[in-house]
Amino acid sequence: MTPVIRLTQPTRTLLRALLATPEQETYGWRLRTTTGLHTPTICGILDRLETHGWITSRWEKHTPGRPPRRYYRLTLDGAEQARAVLNERRRTLDQLTADSLPTYDQSAQP
């Protein structure tokens, strides 16, 4: 059985960035500038997502003058799972927020 992906704040941030354009490939530096996360954090999360089958990656052909980029893309299943876990997280936070708000008895008002 594959372990559950840890949904830390950086993981959720990265998933949201990938879900912004799920049909397009992106690369690490673009994710760094989009999310503000540090490169080692991004690389660790991408590695875990790929291990779980949520994303695929490929190396571009070498272009003279710069190192090759590694491109990432959400799989169909990965995009579906990412949306599901982010929506569940949002529902949980909404419920916690609603439960913590004070209630007022409308009939007690003058």
Side-chain angles (χ1 to χ4, degrees), residues 48-108:
R48 285 191 298 278
L49 293 175
E50 189 166 23
T51 298
H52 285 72
W54 288 31
I55 63 170
T56 58
S57 68
R58 70 170 181 87
W59 286 97
E60 75 175 347
K61 293 181 182 174
H62 180 69
T63 303
R66 69 173 174 80
R69 290 180 177 154
R70 188 171 182 184
Y71 285 92
Y72 301 90
R73 179 189 309 210
L74 281 166
T75 62
L76 291 176
D77 186 51
E80 184 178 306
Q81 290 186 61
R83 283 186 194 99
V85 296
L86 291 173
N87 287 335
E88 179 61 29
R89 171 78 175 182
R90 186 177 307 117
R91 282 191 298 274
T92 300
L93 290 175
D94 288 348
Q95 184 61 46
L96 289 171
T97 302
D99 290 346
S100 66
L101 293 175
T103 57
Y104 297 99
D105 183 2
Q106 296 287 337
S107 63

